[in-house]
């Protein structure tokens, strides 16, 4: 499985770059599982957030293939592009400051079809 992660450039943290990663076929169930595996096996500096693991808290929110979703309950698929929900509130890689999102009146329903 191959995924693309849009994350901070280690040489210039103020900018982002696309990084392609090859993952083993080990039955990854979610985007969070993929990010954990990447962090544990390929690059421990990858920034991601995980808390309830049940889709309840929204701390793990990411943009996957252009759609905002909670990473812990969204299946990861081959070729998926994973990025922060918004660049202007990005803290590190996929981690964003959700308190700032509220200040900017961000809401999931903005993305609803
Ligand atoms: S960790 Fe809480 S919704 Fe994903």
């Amino acid at each position: 499985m191959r995924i693309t992660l849009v994350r901070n450039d280690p040489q210039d943290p103020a900018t982002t770059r696309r990084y392609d990663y090859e993952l083993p076929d080990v039955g990854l169930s979610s985007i969070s599982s993929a990010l954990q595996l990447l962090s544990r096996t390929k690059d421990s500096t990858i920034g991601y957030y995980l808390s309830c693991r049940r889709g309840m808290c929204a701390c793990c929110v990411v943009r996957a293939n252009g759609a905002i979703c909670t990473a812990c309950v969204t299946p990861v698929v081959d070729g998926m592009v994973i990025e922060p929900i918004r660049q202007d509130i990005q803290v590190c890689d996929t981690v964003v400051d959700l308190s700032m999102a509220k200040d900017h009146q961000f809401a999931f329903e903005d993305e609803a079809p």
Side-chain angles (χ1 to χ4, degrees):
M1 174 184 297
R2 184 182 191 95
I3 64 170
T4 298
L5 183 59
V6 179
R7 59 182 300 219
N8 298 98
D9 183 343
Q11 309 301 323
D12 181 11
T15 63
T16 56
R17 285 184 45 201
R18 296 167 68 97
Y19 292 87
D20 294 327
Y21 296 97
E22 201 69 44
L23 294 171
D25 186 14
V26 291
L28 294 169
S29 59
S30 68
I31 295 170
S32 293
S33 299
L35 294 175
Q36 275 187 307
L37 182 64
L38 275 177
S39 174
R40 291 176 180 166
T41 62
K42 301 203 183 234
D43 185 349
S44 63
T45 67
I46 289 174
Y48 65 97
Y49 200 92
L50 195 54
S51 184
C52 72
R53 302 172 189 236
R54 291 182 174 84
M56 306 281 288
C57 70
C59 289
C60 63
V61 66
V62 297
R63 188 178 297 274
N65 287 345
I68 294 176
C69 62
T70 46
C72 64
V73 293
T74 302
V76 63
V77 295
D78 188 38
M80 186 172 257
V81 177
I82 302 163
E83 55 193 315
I85 57 170
R86 283 191 2 211
Q87 298 289 333
D88 61 329
I89 57 172
Q90 181 188 34
V91 176
C92 175
D93 300 337
T94 64
V95 178
V96 294
D97 185 340
L98 291 174
S99 65
M100 291 179 70
K102 289 176 188 163
D103 290 345
H104 292 280
Q105 297 181 332
F106 169 79
F108 283 101
E109 46 277 0
D110 289 348
E111 301 292 323

